[in-house]
Amino acid sequence: MNNKDRERLRYLANHQLEIANSPKNLERVELWKRHNMYKGERPPIHIEVGSFAHEAINPQLQCEDEQARWIEYKLINNFVNMELFDDDKVVPPYFQQTYDIYFTLFGHHIKQTVVKKDDGTEMGHQFEHIIDDLADDFDKILQPTIYGVNKESTMQKNALFNDIFGDILPVKLVSDGLYSTPTQHVVHMMGMENMLYSMYDYPDEFKEMMDRIADSYVAYFKHLESENVLLQNKSFEWVCQGSLAFYDEPDKEGQIKTTDLWGFMDSQETVGISPEMFREFIFPCYHKIASMFGRLNYGCCEPVHPHWDTIKTLPNLKKVSISPWCDEDFMAEQLRGSGIIYHRKPNPTFLGVGANLDEDATRKHIEKTIKTARGCKLEFAQRDVYTVNNDMNKVRRFVEIIRESIDNHWEG
């Protein structure tokens, strides 16, 4: 790494620390703490930048060395939201590093074909399925799952970060939310149509497969626990879906267990099955895994309302995704006063389609949520925006409209 790149990274580290200690950031940290404890006075807002980072972050990269550019990206990603959009994503006063952990279900690395645009951004992908017929290929789910943690590579990176800027910005090992998406694995292995037919054609084999997936995740999380690489996540850590882990509780003494942590699950792939089939074929796996978490954030793009009578029985459920395809009115009635946060994901077309922001349509869409979710604890996480036409002011204005709508209509 040349001196120019090194000085660039040190400058960014110092810049992150300045933003982290700013009154605005400290105030919003307290907002998140109150919000996740179901005591917040207003909904926090987060724009997930990763899907359009090629427009928001990549143009800012100056480092020449490949490794330096990777670190530069991570540093800018820590504060780009507050600088460009002024949403409520907060900036930590340290550089977060997670352990290098891995999980390969039944030992199969599922290959995929990726199609990219000329600028290198991904247009789409297709998985190379390993299961054509569940009965004929049943032996493929009998293979051992490979999982673990690479402490050596973790410590090597830790030493690198500390060498470059540790005297300016502390480097801290953290644990993000424990992540589990069983039905995504199934679709990657066999495809959506095959998954749906298999529940009908081979019900016993399908249930055994789901049970084996659950057991694999349970063993994996228990292994991380036994390796003492789980760290209490109650502050700036991610819990997936554009949300943060903040929780106002004392530091735990002794070993951190899975039941001390946030976890995340979704089942986007089962939108085509009935509530009865979801309860019979899918839910036992999910319940077994969810029982390991201390707090659960559930759901992605799938509408949760058709399966809500089942999903609501998941242990320690604290947040649930209200996607653009969800019945907002029904879920507001269900979540009002429940202690479960209404985690709203606005329709990405308002921000992500067209060169200009349709402010009237955006305001109408946001106000519908704000009025519907009165009496709930609400947060906004804008996800799945793949271009903003290189216009960061468009994103900032989008956030301003949400703030204006909250000021004018929110009744928490």
Side-chain angles (χ1 to χ4, degrees), residues 97-301:
Q97 183 193 356
T98 57
Y99 276 97
D100 291 339
I101 55 179
Y102 53 91
F103 177 88
T104 306
L105 184 65
F106 306 141
H108 301 298
H109 293 276
I110 307 299
K111 299 178 181 179
Q112 60 176 313
T113 302
V114 177
V115 177
K116 296 183 178 181
K117 299 179 183 178
D118 292 338
D119 64 1
T121 57
E122 185 176 324
M123 292 179 63
H125 56 263
Q126 179 176 322
F127 294 98
E128 299 180 21
H129 309 307
I130 62 168
I131 296 176
D132 295 320
D133 181 277
L134 183 56
D136 292 343
D137 295 326
F138 196 71
D139 62 307
K140 293 181 179 178
I141 72 163
L142 302 179
Q143 306 303 313
T145 294
I146 301 170
Y147 53 77
V149 54
N150 191 329
K151 294 182 180 179
E152 182 179 357
S153 66
T154 301
M155 292 302 106
Q156 287 174 348
K157 284 189 280 190
N158 187 279
L160 173 65
F161 301 145
N162 270 302
D163 177 65
I164 298 171
F165 52 73
D167 59 321
I168 300 172
L169 183 69
V171 180
K172 182 178 180 181
L173 283 166
V174 301
S175 290
D176 290 328
L178 298 174
Y179 184 86
S180 173
T181 55
T183 53
Q184 184 179 99
H185 287 292
V186 175
V187 168
H188 289 181
M189 287 190 297
M190 66 170 56
M192 179 80 76
E193 185 174 330
N194 198 358
M195 179 188 75
L196 297 175
Y197 275 118
S198 294
M199 281 185 260
Y200 182 84
D201 292 335
Y202 309 113
D204 293 337
E205 290 85 350
F206 193 93
K207 290 176 183 177
E208 182 173 349
M209 176 179 65
M210 295 303 297
D211 195 48
R212 286 178 175 274
I213 293 174
D215 289 343
S216 292
Y217 266 111
V218 169
Y220 168 52
F221 292 143
K222 281 295 184 183
H223 175 74
L224 298 180
E225 183 180 287
S226 69
E227 287 291 311
N228 292 311
V229 296
L230 299 181
L231 303 165
Q232 198 166 10
N233 54 10
K234 59 169 191 168
S235 56
F236 296 90
E237 302 84 16
W238 287 105
V239 291
C240 298
Q241 304 300 305
S243 198
L244 297 172
F246 284 100
Y247 215 71
D248 194 7
E249 65 182 7
D251 292 338
K252 182 184 175 182
E253 296 182 3
Q255 184 187 38
I256 302 299
K257 298 183 179 296
T258 65
T259 49
D260 298 316
L261 302 182
W262 279 94
F264 169 78
M265 306 185 80
D266 71 31
S267 187
Q268 300 179 87
E269 299 75 20
T270 52
V271 295
I273 70 173
S274 68
E276 293 77 18
M277 290 186 72
F278 181 85
R279 189 178 304 116
E280 179 180 355
F281 287 89
I282 306 300
F283 189 69
C285 167
Y286 276 69
H287 189 276
K288 183 183 288 188
I289 299 170
S291 298
M292 302 194 71
F293 306 144
R295 294 180 284 274
L296 174 62
N297 179 18
Y298 184 88
C300 187
C301 288

Side-chain angles (χ1 to χ4, degrees), residues 28-73:
R28 291 177 182 176
V29 166
E30 294 304 315
L31 168 71
W32 274 102
K33 288 180 181 179
R34 294 190 297 271
H35 169 71
N36 281 351
M37 295 295 292
Y38 219 71
K39 299 176 181 178
E41 64 276 9
R42 73 160 177 87
I45 307 162
H46 174 222
I47 308 298
E48 197 169 74
V49 73
S51 54
F52 62 96
H54 57 287
E55 295 177 356
I57 298 179
N58 290 4
Q60 300 186 51
L61 300 179
Q62 299 177 18
C63 290
E64 299 171 357
D65 176 76
E66 183 177 351
Q67 186 179 56
R69 285 176 71 86
W70 171 67
I71 301 172
E72 183 183 23
Y73 179 100

Side-chain angles (χ1 to χ4, degrees), residues 365-376:
H365 180 64
I366 296 300
E367 289 180 358
K368 167 67 167 63
T369 291
I370 290 173
K371 294 174 182 178
T372 299
R374 283 173 176 167
C376 301

Side-chain angles (χ1 to χ4, degrees), residues 247 262 294-297 316-320 339-342:
Y247 215 71
W262 279 94
R295 294 180 284 274
L296 174 62
N297 179 18
N316 303 313
L317 183 59
K318 297 298 182 183
K319 296 190 182 192
V320 65
I340 301 171
I341 290 171
Y342 189 104

